[in-house]
Amino acid sequence: MAKDTAKMFTFEVDESTDVPLWAQLRNRLAYLITSGYYRPGEQLPTVRALASEISINYNTVNKAYLALKSEGYIESTRGRGAFVRDLAVEVDEEFSHEVDTILGDCVSACRDLGLTLDDVSRAMDAKIQQIKLDEGLVEPGSSRTTARVFTIGMASRNAGTGA
């Protein structure tokens, strides 16, 4: 006899809406996952247990779970159950990949202009310093350093091209 250690939740059917019952359940579960009630790695109630607990047909609960699985909220393994996926880690990894791609494109575009990697680094530092200055994150006296760094980067580019 397997014990069900997954925590249950309240669910009330909204009969005043045209939203199908399985979609209402899917929405409730998605909310519980995104709000932190169910944490990454935590097991959801089994389809049978949930269907019994909230007095809904097994197939309706199963359809809600299938929707959550296809949308990436949960992962399900036959015989093991359904578990909440760690969406934050996946978003962080995706975000990190996007940032890496953008920065790679920026460096490539600067190299296409004839800048060396050191020139790109100095220009990027100068741009970041300028943004910090514009946003009031650094004291105005540091702007001279910013201008000099950028000028050095441009001077080394021009020196290499004979301009």
Side-chain angles (χ1 to χ4, degrees), residues 141-156:
S142 62
S143 64
R144 277 181 292 213
T145 305
T146 301
R148 246 183 36 229
V149 169
F150 186 70
T151 304
I152 292 169
M154 295 306 292
S156 66

Side-chain angles (χ1 to χ4, degrees), residues 123-139 142-143 146-147:
M124 190 65 72
D125 287 342
K127 185 62 176 174
I128 291 169
Q129 190 67 20
Q130 184 61 51
I131 292 169
K132 285 181 179 181
L133 181 65
D134 292 347
E135 294 179 1
L137 301 174
V138 295
E139 295 297 316
S142 62
S143 64
T146 301

Side-chain angles (χ1 to χ4, degrees), residues 99-114:
V99 169
D100 188 55
T101 300
I102 291 168
L103 289 175
D105 291 346
C106 178
V107 170
S108 293
C110 289
R111 301 275 317 263
D112 289 346
L113 292 173

Side-chain angles (χ1 to χ4, degrees), residues 65-139:
Y65 272 45
L66 289 172
L68 290 167
K69 181 179 179 181
S70 73
E71 294 164 3
Y73 286 100
I74 64 174
E75 51 192 29
S76 181
T77 307
R78 185 179 294 273
R80 272 191 66 225
F83 296 85
V84 177
R85 292 180 64 192
D86 193 348
L87 301 174
V89 167
E90 292 171 17
V91 167
D92 286 347
E93 288 173 359
E94 184 177 320
F95 179 75
S96 176
H97 178 71
E98 280 185 54
V99 169
D100 188 55
T101 300
I102 291 168
L103 289 175
D105 291 346
C106 178
V107 170
S108 293
C110 289
R111 301 275 317 263
D112 289 346
L113 292 173
L115 276 71
T116 67
L117 289 175
D118 289 337
D119 292 339
V120 174
S121 178
R122 283 189 294 271
M124 190 65 72
D125 287 342
K127 185 62 176 174
I128 291 169
Q129 190 67 20
Q130 184 61 51
I131 292 169
K132 285 181 179 181
L133 181 65
D134 292 347
E135 294 179 1
L137 301 174
V138 295
E139 295 297 316

